[in-house]
C-alpha cells in the first residue's frame, strides 16, 4: 500500500527535459554562433559546470567561465520562475494526494530555488513536506540517500513509499533500496522505456493513468 510519495521533478512533475535545447541554443546564437543539432543531448549528460565549460570551449565564447555560468543560470532561473509547465495530470494528482493526507516530497538533482519558484507559481509548493536536492547532501540518484532524506518525517517504512521517476538509473536505485517505483514516460528517455517498464512496479504514460487504489 502506498502511504507516502516522492516525486522526481524534471521530466516527472515538470516538462523541462528539453530545456537545454532551448536555452543553450538561444545563448550560443546570441554570440552569432551556430549550435550543434544535438546540443541538448550532449549537455544533458554533463554536470552544470562541465556543460558551461563545453559551451565556452566548443563555441569559443569570449566571456569568462564565471560570466557564462552566471548568464545561463539567470536564463534557467527565469525559465523555471515564469515558463516551466507541469506534465499532464500531475497537478490534479498532487492535490488529490494532499487531500487524502498522503505525505509528499520532491527529490531533484536541479537547483532547489528554481524548483520552489516553479512549484509556488503552479500552486503546489504547500502540498509538499519538503523539496530536497542532491547537492545539499553531496549525493546523486545513483545512491538511495536522496530518497532516504526525502522521506524523513514521513514516519513510514520505505516499502509503503512510492518514488516517481522518468530515468532508468533512478528507478533502479529506488527499487533496489526497497521503495515502490512508478516509471513515468518522458520523450527524452524513450530509449530507456523498455528497461523502466521491466524494472519498475508500474509505468504510466501520464498521471491521469495513476490510481493510488491500485497499490
Amino acid at each position: 500500500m502506498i502511504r507516502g510519495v516522492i516525486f522526481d521533478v524534471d521530466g516527472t512533475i515538470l516538462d523541462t527535459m528539453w530545456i537545454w535545447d532551448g536555452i543553450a541554443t538561444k545563448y550560443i546564437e546570441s554570440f552569432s554562433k551556430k549550435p550543434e543539432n544535438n546540443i541538448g543531448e550532449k549537455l544533458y549528460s554533463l554536470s552544470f559546470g562541465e556543460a558551461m565549460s563545453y559551451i565556452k570551449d566548443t563555441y569559443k565564447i569570449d566571456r569568462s567561465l564565471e560570466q557564462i555560468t552566471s548568464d545561463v543560470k539567470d536564463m534557467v532561473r527565469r525559465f523555471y520562475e515564469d515558463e516551466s509547465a507541469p506534465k499532464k495530470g500531475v497537478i490534479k494528482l498532487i492535490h488529490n494526494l494532499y487531500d487524502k493526507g498522503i505525505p509528499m516530497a520532491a527529490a531533484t538533482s536541479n537547483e532547489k530555488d528554481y524548483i520552489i519558484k516553479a512549484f509556488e507559481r503552479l500552486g503546489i509548493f504547500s502540498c509538499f513536506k519538503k523539496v530536497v536536492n542532491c547537492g545539499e547532501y553531496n549525493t546523486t540518484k545513483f545512491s538511495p540517500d536522496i530518497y532516504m532524506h526525502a522521506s524523513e518525517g514521513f514516519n513510514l517504512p520505505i516499502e509503503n513509499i512510492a518514488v516517481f521517476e522518468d530515468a532508468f538509473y533512478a528507478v533502479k536505485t529506488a527499487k533496489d533500496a526497497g521503495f515502490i517505483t512508478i516509471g513515468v514516460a518522458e520523450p527524452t528517455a524513450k530509449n530507456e522505456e523498455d528497461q523502466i517498464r521491466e524494472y519498475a512496479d508500474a509505468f504510466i504514460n501520464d498521471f491521469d493513468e495513476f490510481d493510488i487504489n491500485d497499490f
Side-chain angles (χ1 to χ4, degrees), residues 22-177:
I23 287 181
T25 295
K26 185 183 296 186
Y27 188 68
I28 292 164
E29 287 180 344
S30 73
F31 294 93
S32 300
K33 312 277 187 177
K34 182 174 176 55
E36 301 148 279
N37 290 332
N38 63 339
I39 183 65
E41 181 181 335
K42 288 201 170 188
L43 296 181
Y44 177 66
S45 63
L46 305 177
S47 70
F48 190 84
E50 289 170 339
M52 298 304 97
S53 294
Y54 181 89
I55 289 173
K56 177 175 175 58
D57 296 342
T58 302
Y59 297 98
K60 310 298 186 218
I61 305 298
D62 189 22
R63 286 176 71 79
S64 70
L65 187 58
E66 292 76 16
Q67 289 172 319
I68 293 172
T69 300
S70 178
D71 292 342
V72 174
K73 278 189 171 182
D74 190 51
M75 292 174 72
V76 173
R77 176 186 56 77
R78 291 198 305 271
F79 170 80
Y80 277 90
E81 287 184 2
D82 302 331
E83 300 180 46
S84 55
K87 297 190 80 170
K88 185 175 184 288
V90 71
I91 299 298
K92 179 181 177 181
L93 174 63
I94 289 169
H95 284 298
N96 285 344
L97 295 176
Y98 180 76
D99 290 342
K100 291 177 183 292
I102 304 294
M104 290 175 284
T108 180
S109 300
N110 204 340
E111 293 287 336
K112 192 170 173 178
D113 290 346
Y114 301 163
I115 302 308
I116 290 173
K117 290 291 188 184
F119 282 11
E120 288 175 338
R121 175 172 50 82
L122 295 170
I124 58 173
F125 179 61
S126 62
C127 296
F128 289 86
K129 280 188 169 290
K130 61 173 70 173
V131 175
V132 297
N133 77 334
C134 292
E136 64 187 310
Y137 296 108
N138 194 30
T139 190
T140 71
K141 287 188 176 180
F142 285 100
S143 164
D145 289 354
I146 191 66
Y147 304 115
M148 299 300 185
H149 287 297
S151 65
E152 287 173 359
F154 283 14
N155 298 317
L156 295 171
I158 60 175
E159 59 264 27
N160 291 129
I161 300 172
V163 174
F164 287 80
E165 281 280 2
D166 67 303
F168 173 69
Y169 80 97
V171 168
K172 185 177 187 304
T173 297
K175 175 78 170 180
D176 291 349

